[in-house]
Amino acid sequence: MGKRKKILLSESDMPTHWYNINADLPAAGIQLPPPLHPGTGQPIGPADLSPLFPMALILQEVSQDRYIEIPDEVQDVYRIWRPSPLIRAYEWEKALGTPAKIYYKYEGGSPSGSHKPNTAVPQAYYNMKEGVKRLSTETGAGQWGSALSFACQMFGLECKVYMVKVSYEQKPYRKVMMQTWGAQVVPSPSPDTNAGRAILAQNPDSTGSLGIAISEAVEDAVMREDTKYALGSVLNHVLLHQTVIGQEAIKQLEIAGADWPDVVVACTGGGSNFGGIAFPFVRENVTGGKQTRIVAVEPSAAPSLTRGIYAYDYGDTAKMAPMVKMHTLGHDFVPAPIHAGGLRYHGMSAQVSALKEAGLIEAVNVQQGAIFQAALSFTKAEGILPAPEPSHAIWGAMQEALKCKESGESKTIVFNMCGHGHFDLGAYEAYMANSLPDFDYPEEAIQRSLQALPTVG
Amino acid sequence: MGKRKKILLSESDMPTHWYNINADLPAAGIQLPPPLHPGTGQPIGPADLSPLFPMALILQEVSQDRYIEIPDEVQDVYRIWRPSPLIRAYEWEKALGTPAKIYYKYEGGSPSGSHKPNTAVPQAYYNMKEGVKRLSTETGAGQWGSALSFACQMFGLECKVYMVKVSYEQKPYRKVMMQTWGAQVVPSPSPDTNAGRAILAQNPDSTGSLGIAISEAVEDAVMREDTKYALGSVLNHVLLHQTVIGQEAIKQLEIAGADWPDVVVACTGGGSNFGGIAFPFVRENVTGGKQTRIVAVEPSAAPSLTRGIYAYDYGDTAKMAPMVKMHTLGHDFVPAPIHAGGLRYHGMSAQVSALKEAGLIEAVNVQQGAIFQAALSFTKAEGILPAPEPSHAIWGAMQEALKCKESGESKTIVFNMCGHGHFDLGAYEAYMANSLPDFDYPEEAIQRSLQALPTVG
């Protein structure tokens, strides 16, 4: 037998608890500022959130418990694809000519092809347990909508997905995938909500936006007694659920006999796959005396951590979501139409933002041309075809590996490969035909967008 | 922890040898008739095949050794996705209301999304070892072309794929996937070969066929010193490589504490995924006293095992491939354009055919409407979205499970889920819109096609 490439855990090694970083933020000198009501500007309480979320998730959102048990029924569904593999990228190391040791955690084996079901499944479960019959949500490129459709099907819930119209038309197969799991999918703006009807009255040809779709999904949940809303990133409880990724990775590195990682890299949009792999390593830095560098890679077209400011802002364009203290480009900021649709968000998770502000994580931004170049370098060596989102992490890992080549150091690099690119081949085609534009923002544009920030906090 | 759903093997449990059923056919009273030269009608020897295949594969094709060692370099690439999971379909059992215990082996986690890399990887490896620089092949729907592109990339070979033009135009993303792995993909008929040019001269608008594409790929290999040809099914060495599937499944059933299976089900086109899971179970029937029923499920549009005859026929439409004694519908038979493109073949593996003829396996055919119905029943319960090809196996397993419901027996059913359906969502969309036709052949049509059989053997 040759060298050990893939480290698999058995079902019995699957984490039984999620890790809640809120419990360790005080030790890092961080006091997480409370979310504020979008109307009153006052701290929100559970009652404000109960039209949208089941109580179990609201309690997780504000919990200070370090570990929260994963229900058996959720573990049963996780087992369809979890534990996920950790893979040593031997061939890519060779291709890059680096002495670094590169490991990646591969989340593309889930039914919908990304890390999103890690939170969709518990969200559907807790709603089911509290008697909710139906969930509403929005989706852009379709990863989150697919994950929630799958999760709802597993627990017998109906699911309505408001899909940004331009994506609905460009990515019909994502829509069909959601339908195979029984979801109702409509293009947003839709005639099904007041918010949608208002937009259509103004502009019947509107191609929609994530902001509009959120407004529709939230209205749907608020207006119907049997329905609640689900969000795929940003919120504390979402990042909490994703920590199975980092917990598994730590066990797998131990099994592989690897050194404790020098660098952990992940892409960031709202922060969920980043938090998922990074938080357990942040814990070890804060409470275990470790010194892993933790690097967030974001697109130049949505550079909240690298070019935004740390301030209270609305979570959505329509100002219906709570105000959160976070790195933001302003809630009116519409990221350019890059292919990494999952990273096109004006803000950032409050937890990830606070860690950045405290200097516990680093961040860097990159253009999409560079990430597709990195993705092709990776897939030609390793075989697995990445989605554009994790290709940001691949690019980040590649920079670290090339620094090692320069210095001769054989550092251990771990990155999160959060989804496959089977639904993104149009983007690869455009890249290979040299027709993929880069996007950048002059400083004035960002400053202009930041003028719309609320004056609170 | 809840019940055990997914059985994973560690890398050290991965099979180290392929199982060669030729060694055990004599014990089953089977003497495999030799392949005949398409020109002379005489048994072919290694020299006849050497323009097409490297010697290592030719020797495997005729080997009588029971076990053939898997080279370390092949195992290293296998480790990207192997060992593959065996999953207990608890939720689907519940949805079907059956007392049966259903397990499926999931091969969709490979880089190209099916079982095909199990043979593409060793084929590319042995060619590389013998100094071949470039492989040519044909592909229909694209699964095999993707797998070989991936495998060639892993061993530094160039790869040229002749892709049936109608698929090239309908499935551009499969083409892009092959290109991301560095392959050159051309629509067939192409102007790159004599065979292609001749067709184009007659009919510039030809949409191509698998028969034409095979002719082009074979000509490419024969004409160039640096190039050999690769085939994705039918041949003994191809089925040999796939036996990692069944060998792993047997280990996993043991770990799960499952009963020895009563039934093993797989779909059949050329026979490679069927042979992969079934042959190790056939071995136990023949040499180990076991009595597992082994069921092949084929499409009504290409019913070679159920409606063809067992006779010598050409492997391809152009009569360039060897004549093989097999179940065939006649080499002129063009299966209707069902969505399970991987099963559209007029003939059947010689080994699978001989087992059928000897009564060691059963076969049944089914329409595509029924298989999509079964696929949706499966994915709504289990989450994983199957390709149309394994949906035939799903349908077969469902029939067995429903029989158990009737009789109250809790039999153990194992089926091969040989690929995911991420590139087949157009077919699901058509099915859900009730626009998917069934196809059937009157007996006269099959008899007419069988009149073209060669008069040998």
Side-chain angles (χ1 to χ4, degrees):
Chain A
M1 191 177 126
K3 56 212 170 178
R4 178 149 204 175
K5 182 160 183 71
K6 186 171 59 174
I7 301 101
L8 291 173
L9 296 174
S10 73
E11 285 191 336
S12 55
D13 284 325
M14 201 164 77
T16 55
H17 293 71
W18 293 299
Y19 165 61
N20 179 14
I21 197 169
N22 282 352
D24 288 319
L25 291 180
I30 294 172
Q31 192 66 39
L32 214 58
L36 305 179
H37 191 283
T40 65
Q42 296 303 307
I44 50 170
D48 296 310
L49 293 172
S50 64
L52 295 180
F53 303 110
M55 197 47 64
L57 293 177
I58 293 171
L59 294 177
Q60 288 182 1
E61 186 68 20
V62 297
S63 172
Q64 295 296 318
D65 296 341
R66 185 167 284 107
Y67 292 100
I68 294 175
E69 195 168 2
I70 307 175
D72 278 354
E73 295 91 330
V74 171
Q75 292 196 41
D76 277 344
V77 181
Y78 274 177
R79 279 189 196 103
I80 294 174
W81 75 98
R82 303 212 71 82
S84 71
L86 181 81
I87 304 178
R88 171 85 184 265
Y90 285 110
E91 300 307 318
W92 196 39
E93 292 168 13
K94 211 189 297 169
L96 296 174
T98 180
K101 304 179 201 90
I102 308 176
Y103 292 87
Y104 63 98
K105 183 74 172 157
Y106 182 50
E107 293 289 310
S110 79
S112 63
S114 81
H115 67 295
K116 291 292 185 191
N118 294 334
T119 185
V121 170
Q123 288 194 47
Y125 168 76
Y126 289 117
N127 275 286
M128 178 273 290
K129 286 296 276 185
E130 296 187 24
V132 176
K133 301 295 179 208
R134 183 173 171 276
L135 288 181
S136 67
T137 199
E138 72 288 334
T139 200
Q143 276 287 12
W144 169 243
S146 303
L148 194 69
S149 301
F150 155 69
C152 283
Q153 183 67 46
M154 293 297 105
F155 293 110
L157 301 183
E158 289 179 54
C159 184
K160 174 132 178 201
V161 181
Y162 294 86
M163 185 172 188
V164 177
K165 192 189 273 175
V166 60
S167 298
Y168 183 92
E169 286 164 357
Q170 283 176 351
K171 300 203 171 189
Y173 293 155
R174 272 285 176 197
K175 170 195 67 185
V176 178
M177 185 178 221
M178 296 183 241
Q179 290 170 336
T180 64
W181 288 317
Q184 189 192 355
V185 189
V186 293
S188 167
S190 81
D192 300 3
T193 65
N194 290 326
R197 284 188 291 270
I199 301 282
L200 289 172
Q202 282 181 353
N203 177 11
D205 297 327
S206 166
T207 55
S209 74
L210 214 46
I212 296 168
I214 293 177
S215 304
E216 289 206 272
V218 167
E219 179 187 325
D220 184 315
V222 170
M223 300 297 282
R224 288 183 58 155
E225 190 60 39
D226 65 346
T227 300
K228 291 201 186 293
Y229 170 74
L231 192 66
S233 190
V234 180
L235 297 176
N236 295 354
H237 70 268
V238 178
L239 276 63
L240 170 78
H241 299 153
Q242 295 291 355
T243 58
V244 289
I245 302 173
Q247 292 185 76
E248 285 181 6
I250 287 174
K251 269 195 199 174
Q252 288 164 311
L253 287 164
E254 196 179 300
I255 290 171
D259 295 330
W260 191 262
D262 298 287
V263 196
V264 169
V265 184
C267 66
T268 40
S272 84
N273 101 78
F274 176 83
I277 193 156
F279 285 179
F281 290 97
V282 172
R283 176 191 65 202
E284 297 304 312
N285 282 355
V286 170
T287 69
K290 296 290 199 295
Q291 293 189 304
T292 302
R293 284 175 53 224
I294 298 181
V295 180
V297 185
E298 58 185 14
S300 299
S304 58
L305 281 173
T306 50
R307 300 185 66 193
I309 60 169
Y310 184 57
Y312 269 104
D313 197 5
Y314 302 101
D316 66 328
T317 321
K319 307 184 192 178
M320 293 171 69
M323 287 183 280
V324 172
K325 191 151 187 186
M326 60 180 174
H327 283 83
T328 179
L329 298 157
H331 56 271
D332 288 334
F333 186 88
V334 179
I338 52 169
H339 284 278
L343 307 183
R344 293 182 63 226
Y345 186 61
H346 69 274
M348 181 54 60
S349 138
Q351 295 168 324
V352 173
S353 293
L355 291 171
K356 172 66 166 54
E357 199 60 15
L360 292 171
I361 64 169
E362 307 167 28
V364 60
N365 73 58
V366 58
Q367 292 283 0
Q368 68 177 347
I371 69 107
F372 277 99
Q373 185 186 31
L376 282 185
S377 157
F378 176 83
T379 194
K380 285 188 174 169
E382 293 294 315
I384 297 180
L385 188 76
E389 291 84 356
S391 298
H392 288 74
I394 290 172
W395 177 87
M398 189 165 130
Q399 306 317 303
E400 299 295 331
L402 294 176
K403 275 191 265 174
C404 286
K405 184 179 183 176
E406 196 78 19
S407 68
E409 293 170 287
S410 63
K411 290 187 174 173
T412 296
I413 301 167
V414 177
F415 73 90
N416 198 16
M417 163 68 160
C418 65
H420 66 60
H422 296 172
F423 292 92
D424 303 288
L425 285 158
Y428 279 95
E429 187 169 36
Y431 171 73
M432 291 189 287
N434 293 314
S435 65
L436 209 57
D438 279 347
F439 294 101
D440 211 344
Y441 298 98
E443 193 53 32
E444 312 84 76
I446 289 177
Q447 289 307 322
R448 207 162 42 239
S449 170
L450 288 174
Q451 284 165 16
L453 290 194
T455 52
V456 289
Chain B
M1 192 176 124
K3 55 214 171 176
R4 179 150 205 174
K5 183 162 183 68
K6 187 172 59 175
I7 301 101
L8 292 173
L9 296 174
S10 73
E11 284 191 337
S12 55
D13 285 324
M14 201 164 78
T16 55
H17 293 71
W18 293 299
Y19 165 61
N20 180 14
I21 197 167
N22 281 354
D24 288 320
L25 291 180
I30 295 173
Q31 191 67 38
L32 214 57
L36 306 180
H37 192 284
T40 66
Q42 295 304 306
I44 50 171
D48 296 308
L49 294 172
S50 64
L52 294 180
F53 303 111
M55 198 45 66
L57 293 177
I58 294 170
L59 294 177
Q60 288 182 2
E61 188 67 20
V62 298
S63 172
Q64 295 297 318
D65 296 341
R66 184 167 285 107
Y67 292 100
I68 295 177
E69 194 168 3
I70 307 175
D72 279 353
E73 294 91 328
V74 171
Q75 292 198 41
D76 276 344
V77 180
Y78 273 177
R79 279 188 198 106
I80 294 175
W81 76 98
R82 302 211 72 83
S84 72
L86 181 81
I87 304 178
R88 171 85 184 265
Y90 285 111
E91 300 306 318
W92 195 40
E93 292 169 14
K94 210 188 299 170
L96 295 174
T98 180
K101 304 181 201 88
I102 309 176
Y103 293 86
Y104 62 99
K105 184 76 171 155
Y106 182 49
E107 293 289 311
S110 80
S112 62
S114 81
H115 66 296
K116 290 292 185 191
N118 294 334
T119 184
V121 170
Q123 289 194 47
Y125 168 77
Y126 289 117
N127 274 287
M128 178 274 289
K129 288 295 277 185
E130 295 185 26
V132 176
K133 301 294 180 209
R134 184 174 171 277
L135 289 182
S136 66
T137 198
E138 71 289 334
T139 199
Q143 276 289 12
W144 169 244
S146 302
L148 193 69
S149 301
F150 155 70
C152 283
Q153 182 68 44
M154 293 297 105
F155 293 110
L157 301 182
E158 289 178 55
C159 183
K160 174 133 180 200
V161 181
Y162 294 87
M163 184 172 189
V164 177
K165 193 190 272 176
V166 60
S167 298
Y168 183 91
E169 285 165 357
Q170 283 176 350
K171 299 202 171 192
Y173 293 155
R174 271 286 176 198
K175 169 195 70 186
V176 178
M177 187 178 220
M178 296 183 240
Q179 290 169 336
T180 65
W181 288 317
Q184 189 192 356
V185 189
V186 293
S188 166
S190 80
D192 300 4
T193 64
N194 290 327
R197 283 188 292 271
I199 301 281
L200 289 172
Q202 283 180 351
N203 177 12
D205 297 326
S206 165
T207 55
S209 73
L210 213 46
I212 297 169
I214 293 177
S215 304
E216 290 205 272
V218 167
E219 179 186 325
D220 184 316
V222 170
M223 299 297 282
R224 288 182 57 156
E225 189 61 40
D226 64 348
T227 301
K228 292 204 186 290
Y229 169 73
L231 192 66
S233 191
V234 181
L235 298 176
N236 294 355
H237 70 268
V238 176
L239 275 64
L240 169 79
H241 299 154
Q242 295 292 354
T243 59
V244 289
I245 302 173
Q247 293 185 75
E248 285 181 6
I250 287 174
K251 269 195 198 174
Q252 288 165 311
L253 287 164
E254 195 179 300
I255 290 172
D259 295 331
W260 191 262
D262 298 287
V263 195
V264 168
V265 185
C267 66
T268 39
S272 84
N273 101 80
F274 175 84
I277 193 156
F279 286 178
F281 289 96
V282 172
R283 176 191 63 202
E284 296 305 311
N285 282 354
V286 170
T287 68
K290 296 291 198 296
Q291 294 190 303
T292 302
R293 286 177 50 224
I294 298 181
V295 181
V297 185
E298 59 184 14
S300 299
S304 58
L305 281 173
T306 50
R307 301 185 65 191
I309 61 169
Y310 185 57
Y312 269 103
D313 196 6
Y314 302 101
D316 66 329
T317 321
K319 308 183 193 179
M320 292 170 72
M323 286 183 280
V324 172
K325 190 151 187 188
M326 61 180 172
H327 284 84
T328 179
L329 298 158
H331 56 272
D332 288 334
F333 185 87
V334 178
I338 52 169
H339 283 278
L343 307 183
R344 294 181 62 228
Y345 185 61
H346 70 274
M348 182 54 61
S349 137
Q351 294 169 324
V352 173
S353 294
L355 291 171
K356 172 68 168 52
E357 199 59 16
L360 293 171
I361 64 170
E362 307 168 28
V364 60
N365 72 58
V366 57
Q367 293 284 358
Q368 68 176 348
I371 69 105
F372 277 98
Q373 185 186 31
L376 282 184
S377 157
F378 176 82
T379 193
K380 285 188 174 169
E382 293 295 315
I384 297 178
L385 188 77
E389 290 83 357
S391 298
H392 287 74
I394 290 172
W395 177 87
M398 190 164 127
Q399 306 316 303
E400 299 295 332
L402 294 176
K403 274 191 266 175
C404 286
K405 185 179 180 177
E406 196 79 19
S407 68
E409 292 171 288
S410 63
K411 290 187 174 172
T412 296
I413 301 167
V414 176
F415 73 91
N416 198 16
M417 162 66 161
C418 65
H420 66 61
H422 296 173
F423 292 92
D424 303 288
L425 284 159
Y428 279 95
E429 188 168 34
Y431 172 73
M432 291 189 287
N434 293 313
S435 64
L436 210 57
D438 279 346
F439 295 100
D440 210 346
Y441 298 98
E443 192 54 34
E444 312 85 76
I446 289 176
Q447 290 307 325
R448 206 162 43 239
S449 171
L450 288 174
Q451 284 167 14
L453 290 194
T455 51
V456 290

